[in-house]
Amino acid sequence: MSDSVPVPPSDRRTFVSKVSAAVIGGLITVAAPIAGLFPILDPLRRRSDTRGMVRVTSFAALPEGGEPRKFPVLDTLVDAWNKTENVPVGSVYVQRTGDNTVRVLHSVCPHLGCSVGYNASGRGYFCPCHKSSFALDGSIADPKSPSPRGMDPLEAVVRDGEVWVKFQNFRKGSPERIAV
């Protein structure tokens, strides 16, 4: 005769409880990390560039004679979870061209990105880095200019006595105006 101990038959309740514990444990093991990814990946779901029109100045601040004025562009930047208001993102030249109309030019030279200055006596813009010169409308004034294109115009509207600009940067050194 054998000295083996008889094994009791498995109980149905024990089997069901073990299977349900394994299923619930597996679901928790999978669901918790997936739920944790949502807050981590949330900034990736948002639009990266939420800038639209930015208020630059009042229309009354512009001289009637058509002389351009340089204004800083302050915007609200949203980076992942941070929101910072009134951050300087660049500057523009704003020129009154008529009743409720303006011309807005980016203040950065399209050649290599130096800051362009306004020359009141020459009635035009001048880049001190490589001697590019631009007419009052932003076109290239000197054919020997190293700049591959004229100054970059920006979309602008006068609304309720204020000048609003769609500020954007463009690729430097390219003859085409390519937004970046």
Side-chain angles (χ1 to χ4, degrees):
M1 300 211 150
S2 71
D3 292 337
S4 65
V5 177
V7 178
S10 66
D11 185 43
R12 185 179 288 175
R13 283 189 194 167
T14 306
F15 174 76
V16 170
S17 66
K18 287 180 181 179
V19 168
S20 56
V23 168
I24 291 172
L27 289 174
I28 291 173
T29 303
V30 171
I34 290 174
L37 286 177
F38 284 108
I40 292 171
L41 298 177
D42 183 53
L44 298 177
R45 294 184 309 127
R46 297 181 192 166
R47 285 182 35 202
S48 62
D49 185 23
T50 58
R51 283 187 287 178
M53 300 297 271
V54 179
R55 183 196 175 279
V56 175
T57 186
S58 69
F59 188 73
L62 301 173
E64 291 184 24
E67 184 173 321
R69 294 276 168 91
K70 189 174 185 178
F71 293 96
V73 177
L74 304 174
D75 200 3
T76 300
L77 296 182
V78 178
D79 180 22
W81 296 273
N82 303 318
K83 182 177 180 181
T84 311
E85 296 188 18
N86 292 325
V87 177
V89 294
S91 60
V92 293
Y93 282 102
V94 182
Q95 177 186 16
R96 182 186 279 203
T97 56
D99 294 339
N100 258 5
T101 59
V102 293
R103 175 185 297 126
V104 178
L105 299 172
H106 204 300
S107 68
V108 173
C109 181
H111 179 223
L112 292 176
C114 295
S115 182
V116 173
Y118 174 67
N119 183 355
S121 63
R123 301 259 320 142
Y125 302 96
F126 180 74
C127 178
C129 295
H130 299 102
K131 298 190 169 111
S132 292
S133 59
F134 305 95
L136 206 52
D137 66 354
S139 62
I140 296 175
D142 183 4
K144 297 177 195 169
S145 175
S147 180
R149 66 179 185 269
M151 292 176 68
D152 297 316
L154 298 172
E155 181 183 331
V157 295
V158 177
R159 190 171 45 208
D160 298 327
E162 297 180 331
V163 178
W164 292 79
V165 175
K166 183 175 181 185
F167 186 78
Q168 59 184 346
N169 290 310
F170 298 93
R171 183 177 293 165
K172 309 297 178 253
S174 171
E176 294 87 29
R177 189 170 288 113
I178 301 169
V180 292

